[in-house]
Amino acid sequence: MTQSFLNYIDGQWVAAEDRVTTPDVNPANTAEIVGDFPSAGRADAARAVEASAKVFPLWARTPMPQRGDILHRAANLFEARADEVAEAMTREEGKTLAESKGEVMRGVSILRYYAGETMQPTGEVYPSASANTFLYVERVPVGVVALITPWNFPVAIPAWKIAPALAYGNTVVFKPAELTPLTAWHLVDVLEKAGLPAGVLNLVNGRGSQAGHELVENALVKGISFTGSNEVGAHIAAQATARGAKMQLEMGGKNPVVILADSDLEKAVELTLAGAMLSTGQKCTATSRAIVQREVLEEFRERLVARAKALKVGDGMQPDTYMGPLVSAEAERTVLDYIKIGQAEGARLLAGGEKLRGDEYDCGYFVAPTVFDQVTPDMRIAQEEIFGPMVSVIEAQDFDEAVQLANHTRFGLSASIFTRDLNLALRFMREIEAGIVHVNSQTAGAEPQVPFGGFKSSSSGSREQGKAAREFFTQIKTVYLDPL
Ligand code: NAD
């Protein structure tokens, strides 16, 4: 029998007010229902916000190291159930078990990192022009924050929002993506068991247009941290700006890898493939354009195509699977549409380009690893985020043209270059319009102690993770203290 789960509001596990639920479906085998989850409406979200607002003064007053102790306990509890959470993630999102386990352990690191941050300074003392004034600046919490997350990193992204939000004294209403409620449930469950007071963290599963919309509009919500598509991000930006709420948006990418003639070609091929195909290309930092210098284009293309065709695609629960299914029927449709668009635009399909068929695939959303070449910079497949296992090979004459092509997009999340030339690597770091730059490694990958986020349309400009998270989750109070 399918297990039913609940939302977590004001310290209680509760059903949605109107009792509506949504099944959580395994994208590798749609006959399997992973769980049944509440579909909260606006009223449920509003109740969560009220609970969060009520307890905010208490949580803001709780000594920071005490908040850190709770995060530390949650990290230990999460680590103890890492295998169970990884399995849940693979069953509801589709990525391979190895990737899921890696992400769960990343979640543990993030919780530990922000537990540690609760022992760090919260302000600075300044010299004052007046002899008696004690002049200092303090970081204080923002208030109730709404955290709205996508399905593609269902542990890491919620963790890198929830942990700093709580560490810096905010109370939280967390609305995970509809497609990955079970991993979200685990994260909230360990935080509850670690000892969070009622109302400090609330979990509201529901549709973006209902629960999400309420969180964005509710005047008690002082900050909105959103990761997701540009389309939804633009909508949230307009609403949040109109009512003066603080906001942070991390959105799409169209990430390039530049392969120069002097690169280690074997490594470049392997890491282009990993960047493009791991997580089925569904990473905001996935490689979607391979910009290759003319001299090595043919060899690169041949090796890439051979490797792409040999990849093992299948259920992420199987240990030999390199690439799992797409997350949903809609995601599969989008990718198949873009394959048609690429062909219609005149790009040459070299590998994949089709839905996989057969016993192993018929009940899931499996698309073959797809490689296009003869892609020109203004084609839609070179400009729009596809979010699937698809990479476009683009020819460049030299370094300058490669950088110009790499920057020729409205996005600017991550970028990578393969070269042995230190001067060109340094020029790339300076000239590339991206928030995250890699040299001789893939476009994907992020460590929790450093800032994460993009340039241009990939972000609203603020950064997540590391100490950078403090910018969003605190506000500055300047105090002039004159003793009598
Ligand atoms: P999405 O924009 O469809 O949904 C993201 C979240 O927003 C979900 O929780 C959804 O329910 C909610 N939402 C939808 N409509 C809403 C509304 N009107 N008001 C409030 N909330 C609403 O994105 P997705 O399909 O879940 O995720 C894929 C996208 O996320 C891709 O574009 C990807 O590049 C991006 N992404 C970016 C980063 C980053 O850090 N830059 C990381 C991961 C994913």
Side-chain angles (χ1 to χ4, degrees), residues 148-153 157 160 175-178 206-209 212-213 216 226-230 232-233 235-236 239 250-253 283-284 385 387 413 452 458 464:
I148 302 176
T149 57
W151 45 265
N152 66 331
F153 283 102
I157 295 176
W160 81 47
K175 197 210 85 60
E178 298 91 309
R207 298 230 310 277
S209 57
H213 185 71
V216 176
F226 164 84
T227 299
S229 62
N230 282 72
V232 174
H235 190 65
I236 290 178
Q239 287 172 303
E250 288 301 331
M251 298 167 289
K283 294 181 185 174
C284 52
E385 187 183 49
F387 231 53
L413 186 51
F452 181 88
S458 290
E464 303 198 83

mmCIF file of all heavy atoms in Angstrom, residues 148-153 157 160 175-178 206-209 212-213 216 226-230 232-233 235-236 239 250-253 283-284 385 387 413 452 458 464, ligand 1:
data_model
loop_
_atom_site.group_PDB
_atom_site.id
_atom_site.type_symbol
_atom_site.label_atom_id
_atom_site.label_comp_id
_atom_site.label_asym_id
_atom_site.label_seq_id
_atom_site.Cartn_x
_atom_site.Cartn_y
_atom_site.Cartn_z
ATOM 1 N N ILE A 148 11.808 28.389 -1.671
ATOM 2 C CA ILE A 148 11.088 27.707 -2.757
ATOM 3 C C ILE A 148 12.132 27.043 -3.655
ATOM 4 O O ILE A 148 13.013 27.723 -4.194
ATOM 5 C CB ILE A 148 10.226 28.721 -3.547
ATOM 6 C CG1 ILE A 148 9.236 29.405 -2.600
ATOM 7 C CG2 ILE A 148 9.504 28.029 -4.699
ATOM 8 C CD1 ILE A 148 8.390 30.498 -3.235
ATOM 9 N N THR A 149 12.031 25.725 -3.785
ATOM 10 C CA THR A 149 13.153 24.983 -4.389
ATOM 11 C C THR A 149 12.718 24.104 -5.560
ATOM 12 O O THR A 149 11.551 23.711 -5.656
ATOM 13 C CB THR A 149 13.827 24.104 -3.310
ATOM 14 O OG1 THR A 149 12.856 23.235 -2.751
ATOM 15 C CG2 THR A 149 14.456 24.952 -2.219
ATOM 16 N N PRO A 150 13.676 23.759 -6.437
ATOM 17 C CA PRO A 150 13.383 22.889 -7.576
ATOM 18 C C PRO A 150 13.605 21.417 -7.201
ATOM 19 O O PRO A 150 14.049 21.107 -6.097
ATOM 20 C CB PRO A 150 14.421 23.333 -8.606
ATOM 21 C CG PRO A 150 15.616 23.703 -7.783
ATOM 22 C CD PRO A 150 15.084 24.228 -6.463
ATOM 23 N N TRP A 151 13.356 20.531 -8.163
ATOM 24 C CA TRP A 151 13.437 19.095 -7.881
ATOM 25 C C TRP A 151 14.803 18.509 -8.187
ATOM 26 O O TRP A 151 15.092 17.375 -7.816
ATOM 27 C CB TRP A 151 12.389 18.345 -8.733
ATOM 28 C CG TRP A 151 12.375 18.830 -10.149
ATOM 29 C CD1 TRP A 151 11.545 19.777 -10.684
ATOM 30 C CD2 TRP A 151 13.275 18.470 -11.201
ATOM 31 N NE1 TRP A 151 11.872 20.022 -11.996
ATOM 32 C CE2 TRP A 151 12.937 19.222 -12.339
ATOM 33 C CE3 TRP A 151 14.343 17.565 -11.309
ATOM 34 C CZ2 TRP A 151 13.621 19.122 -13.559
ATOM 35 C CZ3 TRP A 151 15.025 17.465 -12.508
ATOM 36 C CH2 TRP A 151 14.660 18.235 -13.611
ATOM 37 N N ASN A 152 15.673 19.252 -8.891
ATOM 38 C CA ASN A 152 16.864 18.574 -9.437
ATOM 39 C C ASN A 152 17.958 18.319 -8.406
ATOM 40 O O ASN A 152 18.743 17.400 -8.571
ATOM 41 C CB ASN A 152 17.404 19.322 -10.670
ATOM 42 C CG ASN A 152 17.942 20.684 -10.334
ATOM 43 O OD1 ASN A 152 17.490 21.322 -9.387
ATOM 44 N ND2 ASN A 152 18.915 21.138 -11.091
ATOM 45 N N PHE A 153 18.024 19.140 -7.359
ATOM 46 C CA PHE A 153 18.898 18.830 -6.209
ATOM 47 C C PHE A 153 18.013 18.899 -4.968
ATOM 48 O O PHE A 153 18.030 19.881 -4.230
ATOM 49 C CB PHE A 153 20.073 19.813 -6.127
ATOM 50 C CG PHE A 153 21.151 19.512 -7.129
ATOM 51 C CD1 PHE A 153 21.278 20.250 -8.287
ATOM 52 C CD2 PHE A 153 22.033 18.450 -6.918
ATOM 53 C CE1 PHE A 153 22.258 19.954 -9.222
ATOM 54 C CE2 PHE A 153 23.013 18.144 -7.852
ATOM 55 C CZ PHE A 153 23.127 18.902 -9.000
ATOM 56 N N ILE A 157 19.931 21.787 -2.423
ATOM 57 C CA ILE A 157 19.422 23.168 -2.493
ATOM 58 C C ILE A 157 18.584 23.518 -1.259
ATOM 59 O O ILE A 157 18.829 24.551 -0.620
ATOM 60 C CB ILE A 157 18.699 23.420 -3.830
ATOM 61 C CG1 ILE A 157 19.716 23.310 -4.978
ATOM 62 C CG2 ILE A 157 18.023 24.794 -3.835
ATOM 63 C CD1 ILE A 157 19.136 23.433 -6.377
ATOM 64 N N TRP A 160 21.052 24.090 1.545
ATOM 65 C CA TRP A 160 21.859 25.315 1.527
ATOM 66 C C TRP A 160 21.005 26.566 1.678
ATOM 67 O O TRP A 160 21.523 27.665 1.809
ATOM 68 C CB TRP A 160 22.843 25.337 0.385
ATOM 69 C CG TRP A 160 22.450 25.732 -1.010
ATOM 70 C CD1 TRP A 160 21.713 26.813 -1.408
ATOM 71 C CD2 TRP A 160 22.872 25.077 -2.227
ATOM 72 N NE1 TRP A 160 21.636 26.844 -2.779
ATOM 73 C CE2 TRP A 160 22.345 25.803 -3.308
ATOM 74 C CE3 TRP A 160 23.660 23.951 -2.501
ATOM 75 C CZ2 TRP A 160 22.553 25.446 -4.641
ATOM 76 C CZ3 TRP A 160 23.867 23.607 -3.828
ATOM 77 C CH2 TRP A 160 23.321 24.340 -4.886
ATOM 78 N N LYS A 175 8.905 25.361 0.791
ATOM 79 C CA LYS A 175 8.036 24.724 -0.203
ATOM 80 C C LYS A 175 8.907 24.017 -1.244
ATOM 81 O O LYS A 175 9.476 24.638 -2.137
ATOM 82 C CB LYS A 175 7.135 25.740 -0.909
ATOM 83 C CG LYS A 175 5.984 25.007 -1.598
ATOM 84 C CD LYS A 175 5.453 25.651 -2.842
ATOM 85 C CE LYS A 175 6.172 25.346 -4.102
ATOM 86 N NZ LYS A 175 6.230 23.930 -4.523
ATOM 87 N N PRO A 176 9.015 22.689 -1.103
ATOM 88 C CA PRO A 176 9.831 21.947 -2.068
ATOM 89 C C PRO A 176 9.098 21.786 -3.389
ATOM 90 O O PRO A 176 7.904 22.085 -3.493
ATOM 91 C CB PRO A 176 10.019 20.593 -1.393
ATOM 92 C CG PRO A 176 8.858 20.447 -0.458
ATOM 93 C CD PRO A 176 8.390 21.827 -0.095
ATOM 94 N N ALA A 177 9.821 21.304 -4.398
ATOM 95 C CA ALA A 177 9.196 21.027 -5.689
ATOM 96 C C ALA A 177 8.199 19.878 -5.545
ATOM 97 O O ALA A 177 8.400 18.961 -4.748
ATOM 98 C CB ALA A 177 10.273 20.667 -6.706
ATOM 99 N N GLU A 178 7.148 19.944 -6.322
ATOM 100 C CA GLU A 178 6.094 18.921 -6.271
ATOM 101 C C GLU A 178 6.637 17.533 -6.604
ATOM 102 O O GLU A 178 6.092 16.525 -6.154
ATOM 103 C CB GLU A 178 4.968 19.250 -7.270
ATOM 104 C CG GLU A 178 4.235 20.543 -7.017
ATOM 105 C CD GLU A 178 4.860 21.728 -7.742
ATOM 106 O OE1 GLU A 178 6.086 21.948 -7.623
ATOM 107 O OE2 GLU A 178 4.121 22.454 -8.426
ATOM 108 N N GLY A 206 3.039 21.621 -2.025
ATOM 109 C CA GLY A 206 1.887 22.111 -2.772
ATOM 110 C C GLY A 206 2.336 22.706 -4.085
ATOM 111 O O GLY A 206 3.537 22.841 -4.341
ATOM 112 N N ARG A 207 1.361 23.074 -4.898
ATOM 113 C CA ARG A 207 1.700 23.607 -6.217
ATOM 114 C C ARG A 207 2.262 25.021 -6.105
ATOM 115 O O ARG A 207 1.896 25.792 -5.212
ATOM 116 C CB ARG A 207 0.448 23.615 -7.100
ATOM 117 C CG ARG A 207 -0.113 22.220 -7.339
ATOM 118 C CD ARG A 207 -0.367 21.938 -8.813
ATOM 119 N NE ARG A 207 -1.142 22.987 -9.464
ATOM 120 C CZ ARG A 207 -2.470 23.081 -9.429
ATOM 121 N NH1 ARG A 207 -3.181 22.189 -8.745
ATOM 122 N NH2 ARG A 207 -3.090 24.044 -10.070
ATOM 123 N N GLY A 208 3.122 25.344 -7.058
ATOM 124 C CA GLY A 208 3.703 26.687 -7.073
ATOM 125 C C GLY A 208 2.641 27.754 -7.184
ATOM 126 O O GLY A 208 2.690 28.786 -6.503
ATOM 127 N N SER A 209 1.654 27.502 -8.041
ATOM 128 C CA SER A 209 0.627 28.516 -8.289
ATOM 129 C C SER A 209 -0.320 28.695 -7.095
ATOM 130 O O SER A 209 -1.063 29.672 -7.035
ATOM 131 C CB SER A 209 -0.179 28.118 -9.525
ATOM 132 O OG SER A 209 -0.726 26.828 -9.306
ATOM 133 N N GLY A 212 2.965 28.185 -3.330
ATOM 134 C CA GLY A 212 4.097 29.063 -3.666
ATOM 135 C C GLY A 212 3.649 30.511 -3.795
ATOM 136 O O GLY A 212 4.273 31.426 -3.255
ATOM 137 N N HIS A 213 2.562 30.693 -4.501
ATOM 138 C CA HIS A 213 2.028 32.034 -4.730
ATOM 139 C C HIS A 213 1.709 32.734 -3.402
ATOM 140 O O HIS A 213 2.017 33.915 -3.211
ATOM 141 C CB HIS A 213 0.777 31.904 -5.604
ATOM 142 C CG HIS A 213 0.200 33.208 -6.020
ATOM 143 N ND1 HIS A 213 0.826 34.022 -6.932
ATOM 144 C CD2 HIS A 213 -0.930 33.847 -5.637
ATOM 145 C CE1 HIS A 213 0.086 35.115 -7.092
ATOM 146 N NE2 HIS A 213 -0.981 35.028 -6.320
ATOM 147 N N VAL A 216 4.813 34.012 -1.699
ATOM 148 C CA VAL A 216 5.400 35.187 -2.340
ATOM 149 C C VAL A 216 4.592 36.445 -2.016
ATOM 150 O O VAL A 216 5.142 37.536 -1.852
ATOM 151 C CB VAL A 216 5.498 34.966 -3.871
ATOM 152 C CG1 VAL A 216 6.016 36.206 -4.583
ATOM 153 C CG2 VAL A 216 6.406 33.773 -4.178
ATOM 154 N N PHE A 226 14.559 31.771 -3.857
ATOM 155 C CA PHE A 226 13.985 30.899 -4.880
ATOM 156 C C PHE A 226 15.092 30.327 -5.762
ATOM 157 O O PHE A 226 15.992 31.060 -6.178
ATOM 158 C CB PHE A 226 13.017 31.715 -5.747
ATOM 159 C CG PHE A 226 12.637 31.059 -7.052
ATOM 160 C CD1 PHE A 226 11.607 30.117 -7.098
ATOM 161 C CD2 PHE A 226 13.294 31.374 -8.241
ATOM 162 C CE1 PHE A 226 11.252 29.509 -8.306
ATOM 163 C CE2 PHE A 226 12.944 30.772 -9.438
ATOM 164 C CZ PHE A 226 11.919 29.836 -9.474
ATOM 165 N N THR A 227 15.018 29.043 -6.050
ATOM 166 C CA THR A 227 15.841 28.453 -7.104
ATOM 167 C C THR A 227 14.892 27.733 -8.043
ATOM 168 O O THR A 227 14.034 26.959 -7.593
ATOM 169 C CB THR A 227 16.871 27.457 -6.531
ATOM 170 O OG1 THR A 227 17.724 28.164 -5.630
ATOM 171 C CG2 THR A 227 17.724 26.858 -7.635
ATOM 172 N N GLY A 228 15.047 27.996 -9.345
ATOM 173 C CA GLY A 228 14.166 27.360 -10.320
ATOM 174 C C GLY A 228 14.323 28.003 -11.679
ATOM 175 O O GLY A 228 15.381 28.557 -11.996
ATOM 176 N N SER A 229 13.246 27.951 -12.448
ATOM 177 C CA SER A 229 13.325 28.422 -13.826
ATOM 178 C C SER A 229 13.275 29.950 -13.910
ATOM 179 O O SER A 229 12.751 30.621 -13.008
ATOM 180 C CB SER A 229 12.154 27.841 -14.616
ATOM 181 O OG SER A 229 10.942 28.309 -14.059
ATOM 182 N N ASN A 230 13.749 30.488 -15.020
ATOM 183 C CA ASN A 230 13.698 31.939 -15.225
ATOM 184 C C ASN A 230 12.268 32.442 -15.321
ATOM 185 O O ASN A 230 11.954 33.549 -14.886
ATOM 186 C CB ASN A 230 14.459 32.313 -16.494
ATOM 187 C CG ASN A 230 15.938 32.296 -16.237
ATOM 188 O OD1 ASN A 230 16.522 31.224 -16.090
ATOM 189 N ND2 ASN A 230 16.545 33.451 -16.132
ATOM 190 N N VAL A 232 9.489 31.320 -13.818
ATOM 191 C CA VAL A 232 8.882 31.491 -12.491
ATOM 192 C C VAL A 232 9.631 32.573 -11.716
ATOM 193 O O VAL A 232 9.031 33.394 -11.020
ATOM 194 C CB VAL A 232 8.854 30.151 -11.717
ATOM 195 C CG1 VAL A 232 8.365 30.353 -10.298
ATOM 196 C CG2 VAL A 232 7.960 29.143 -12.433
ATOM 197 N N GLY A 233 10.954 32.603 -11.875
ATOM 198 C CA GLY A 233 11.761 33.608 -11.182
ATOM 199 C C GLY A 233 11.313 35.027 -11.522
ATOM 200 O O GLY A 233 11.216 35.885 -10.642
ATOM 201 N N HIS A 235 8.411 36.029 -12.459
ATOM 202 C CA HIS A 235 7.110 36.230 -11.849
ATOM 203 C C HIS A 235 7.272 36.598 -10.361
ATOM 204 O O HIS A 235 6.692 37.564 -9.870
ATOM 205 C CB HIS A 235 6.380 34.894 -12.000
ATOM 206 C CG HIS A 235 4.955 34.913 -11.672
ATOM 207 N ND1 HIS A 235 4.047 35.627 -12.405
ATOM 208 C CD2 HIS A 235 4.266 34.285 -10.680
ATOM 209 C CE1 HIS A 235 2.853 35.440 -11.864
ATOM 210 N NE2 HIS A 235 2.967 34.643 -10.830
ATOM 211 N N ILE A 236 8.129 35.829 -9.691
ATOM 212 C CA ILE A 236 8.368 36.062 -8.257
ATOM 213 C C ILE A 236 9.034 37.423 -8.062
ATOM 214 O O ILE A 236 8.683 38.186 -7.146
ATOM 215 C CB ILE A 236 9.232 34.921 -7.659
ATOM 216 C CG1 ILE A 236 8.395 33.638 -7.596
ATOM 217 C CG2 ILE A 236 9.767 35.287 -6.276
ATOM 218 C CD1 ILE A 236 9.123 32.413 -7.084
ATOM 219 N N GLN A 239 6.465 40.212 -8.175
ATOM 220 C CA GLN A 239 5.592 40.284 -6.991
ATOM 221 C C GLN A 239 6.366 40.740 -5.760
ATOM 222 O O GLN A 239 5.878 41.555 -4.977
ATOM 223 C CB GLN A 239 4.977 38.916 -6.721
ATOM 224 C CG GLN A 239 3.912 38.549 -7.721
ATOM 225 C CD GLN A 239 3.480 37.115 -7.506
ATOM 226 O OE1 GLN A 239 4.293 36.190 -7.537
ATOM 227 N NE2 GLN A 239 2.199 36.926 -7.282
ATOM 228 N N GLU A 250 17.972 32.186 -7.979
ATOM 229 C CA GLU A 250 19.000 31.461 -8.737
ATOM 230 C C GLU A 250 18.275 30.668 -9.818
ATOM 231 O O GLU A 250 17.380 29.882 -9.512
ATOM 232 C CB GLU A 250 19.803 30.535 -7.828
ATOM 233 C CG GLU A 250 20.755 31.263 -6.900
ATOM 234 C CD GLU A 250 21.784 32.133 -7.605
ATOM 235 O OE1 GLU A 250 22.172 31.816 -8.752
ATOM 236 O OE2 GLU A 250 22.197 33.148 -7.013
ATOM 237 N N MET A 251 18.679 30.884 -11.073
ATOM 238 C CA MET A 251 17.856 30.329 -12.161
ATOM 239 C C MET A 251 18.673 29.515 -13.163
ATOM 240 O O MET A 251 19.575 28.808 -12.782
ATOM 241 C CB MET A 251 17.064 31.469 -12.781
ATOM 242 C CG MET A 251 16.127 32.093 -11.755
ATOM 243 S SD MET A 251 15.416 33.668 -12.232
ATOM 244 C CE MET A 251 16.802 34.759 -12.137
ATOM 245 N N GLY A 252 18.367 29.655 -14.437
ATOM 246 C CA GLY A 252 18.871 28.723 -15.437
ATOM 247 C C GLY A 252 20.310 28.932 -15.867
ATOM 248 O O GLY A 252 20.983 29.867 -15.443
ATOM 249 N N GLY A 253 20.762 28.025 -16.729
ATOM 250 C CA GLY A 253 22.118 28.115 -17.273
ATOM 251 C C GLY A 253 22.161 27.580 -18.695
ATOM 252 O O GLY A 253 21.216 26.920 -19.166
ATOM 253 N N LYS A 283 21.091 19.484 -14.427
ATOM 254 C CA LYS A 283 21.742 20.326 -13.413
ATOM 255 C C LYS A 283 21.752 21.733 -13.968
ATOM 256 O O LYS A 283 21.973 21.916 -15.177
ATOM 257 C CB LYS A 283 23.203 19.904 -13.207
ATOM 258 C CG LYS A 283 23.396 18.528 -12.601
ATOM 259 C CD LYS A 283 24.891 18.257 -12.425
ATOM 260 C CE LYS A 283 25.129 16.844 -11.929
ATOM 261 N NZ LYS A 283 26.558 16.504 -11.874
ATOM 262 N N CYS A 284 21.571 22.721 -13.096
ATOM 263 C CA CYS A 284 21.651 24.101 -13.594
ATOM 264 C C CYS A 284 23.054 24.380 -14.118
ATOM 265 O O CYS A 284 23.248 25.235 -14.964
ATOM 266 C CB CYS A 284 21.275 25.084 -12.498
ATOM 267 S SG CYS A 284 22.194 24.794 -10.993
ATOM 268 N N GLU A 385 17.800 27.053 -22.401
ATOM 269 C CA GLU A 385 18.075 25.963 -21.468
ATOM 270 C C GLU A 385 17.178 24.778 -21.795
ATOM 271 O O GLU A 385 15.961 24.925 -21.875
ATOM 272 C CB GLU A 385 17.828 26.427 -20.028
ATOM 273 C CG GLU A 385 18.252 25.381 -19.023
ATOM 274 C CD GLU A 385 17.953 25.769 -17.582
ATOM 275 O OE1 GLU A 385 16.810 26.178 -17.304
ATOM 276 O OE2 GLU A 385 18.859 25.650 -16.739
ATOM 277 N N PHE A 387 17.749 21.404 -20.332
ATOM 278 C CA PHE A 387 17.627 20.610 -19.107
ATOM 279 C C PHE A 387 17.418 19.133 -19.406
ATOM 280 O O PHE A 387 16.464 18.502 -18.930
ATOM 281 C CB PHE A 387 16.492 21.158 -18.233
ATOM 282 C CG PHE A 387 16.941 21.388 -16.815
ATOM 283 C CD1 PHE A 387 18.061 22.161 -16.539
ATOM 284 C CD2 PHE A 387 16.269 20.823 -15.750
ATOM 285 C CE1 PHE A 387 18.486 22.366 -15.241
ATOM 286 C CE2 PHE A 387 16.684 21.029 -14.437
ATOM 287 C CZ PHE A 387 17.802 21.813 -14.188
ATOM 288 N N LEU A 413 25.925 31.128 -15.631
ATOM 289 C CA LEU A 413 26.067 30.416 -14.355
ATOM 290 C C LEU A 413 27.469 29.836 -14.199
ATOM 291 O O LEU A 413 28.259 30.304 -13.396
ATOM 292 C CB LEU A 413 24.990 29.336 -14.228
ATOM 293 C CG LEU A 413 24.934 28.615 -12.881
ATOM 294 C CD1 LEU A 413 24.871 29.593 -11.724
ATOM 295 C CD2 LEU A 413 23.740 27.676 -12.814
ATOM 296 N N PHE A 452 28.002 30.415 -4.408
ATOM 297 C CA PHE A 452 27.441 29.756 -5.586
ATOM 298 C C PHE A 452 26.391 30.668 -6.201
ATOM 299 O O PHE A 452 25.494 31.145 -5.515
ATOM 300 C CB PHE A 452 26.788 28.428 -5.166
ATOM 301 C CG PHE A 452 26.191 27.668 -6.320
ATOM 302 C CD1 PHE A 452 26.960 26.786 -7.062
ATOM 303 C CD2 PHE A 452 24.859 27.836 -6.683
ATOM 304 C CE1 PHE A 452 26.430 26.095 -8.141
ATOM 305 C CE2 PHE A 452 24.316 27.155 -7.751
ATOM 306 C CZ PHE A 452 25.103 26.280 -8.483
ATOM 307 N N SER A 458 21.134 34.343 -15.078
ATOM 308 C CA SER A 458 21.144 33.141 -14.235
ATOM 309 C C SER A 458 20.816 33.437 -12.783
ATOM 310 O O SER A 458 20.553 32.519 -12.005
ATOM 311 C CB SER A 458 22.514 32.450 -14.313
ATOM 312 O OG SER A 458 22.683 31.876 -15.582
ATOM 313 N N GLU A 464 24.558 32.224 -2.908
ATOM 314 C CA GLU A 464 24.217 31.267 -1.861
ATOM 315 C C GLU A 464 25.483 30.557 -1.387
ATOM 316 O O GLU A 464 26.535 30.668 -2.006
ATOM 317 C CB GLU A 464 23.225 30.235 -2.410
ATOM 318 C CG GLU A 464 21.986 30.897 -2.962
ATOM 319 C CD GLU A 464 20.829 29.939 -3.111
ATOM 320 O OE1 GLU A 464 20.124 29.711 -2.108
ATOM 321 O OE2 GLU A 464 20.650 29.413 -4.204
HETATM 322 P P1 NAD B 1 10.335 25.760 -11.539
HETATM 323 O O1 NAD B 1 10.650 27.197 -11.719
HETATM 324 O O2 NAD B 1 9.280 25.160 -12.368
HETATM 325 O O3 NAD B 1 9.923 25.480 -10.018
HETATM 326 C C1 NAD B 1 10.758 25.828 -8.927
HETATM 327 C C2 NAD B 1 9.902 25.985 -7.686
HETATM 328 O O4 NAD B 1 9.052 27.125 -7.858
HETATM 329 C C3 NAD B 1 8.981 24.802 -7.406
HETATM 330 O O5 NAD B 1 8.951 24.551 -6.021
HETATM 331 C C4 NAD B 1 7.626 25.302 -7.889
HETATM 332 O O6 NAD B 1 6.543 24.693 -7.256
HETATM 333 C C5 NAD B 1 7.715 26.772 -7.510
HETATM 334 N N1 NAD B 1 6.788 27.646 -8.235
HETATM 335 C C6 NAD B 1 6.262 27.482 -9.484
HETATM 336 N N2 NAD B 1 5.428 28.502 -9.773
HETATM 337 C C7 NAD B 1 5.425 29.336 -8.714
HETATM 338 C C8 NAD B 1 4.755 30.559 -8.417
HETATM 339 N N3 NAD B 1 3.928 31.134 -9.278
HETATM 340 N N4 NAD B 1 4.995 31.146 -7.223
HETATM 341 C C9 NAD B 1 5.851 30.597 -6.333
HETATM 342 N N5 NAD B 1 6.494 29.420 -6.553
HETATM 343 C C10 NAD B 1 6.293 28.801 -7.730
HETATM 344 O O7 NAD B 1 11.739 24.984 -11.717
HETATM 345 P P2 NAD B 1 12.018 23.417 -11.709
HETATM 346 O O8 NAD B 1 11.493 22.832 -12.966
HETATM 347 O O9 NAD B 1 11.595 22.837 -10.401
HETATM 348 O O10 NAD B 1 13.635 23.395 -11.726
HETATM 349 C C11 NAD B 1 14.405 23.482 -12.878
HETATM 350 C C12 NAD B 1 14.978 24.883 -13.041
HETATM 351 O O11 NAD B 1 15.736 25.239 -11.882
HETATM 352 C C13 NAD B 1 15.958 24.996 -14.196
HETATM 353 O O12 NAD B 1 15.721 26.178 -14.900
HETATM 354 C C14 NAD B 1 17.320 25.059 -13.497
HETATM 355 O O13 NAD B 1 18.339 25.688 -14.231
HETATM 356 C C15 NAD B 1 16.982 25.800 -12.267
HETATM 357 N N6 NAD B 1 18.007 25.571 -11.236
HETATM 358 C C16 NAD B 1 18.858 26.595 -10.931
HETATM 359 C C17 NAD B 1 19.850 26.405 -9.970
HETATM 360 C C18 NAD B 1 20.785 27.522 -9.583
HETATM 361 O O14 NAD B 1 21.319 27.490 -8.486
HETATM 362 N N7 NAD B 1 20.994 28.504 -10.448
HETATM 363 C C19 NAD B 1 19.959 25.172 -9.320
HETATM 364 C C20 NAD B 1 19.074 24.150 -9.680
HETATM 365 C C21 NAD B 1 18.085 24.375 -10.616
#
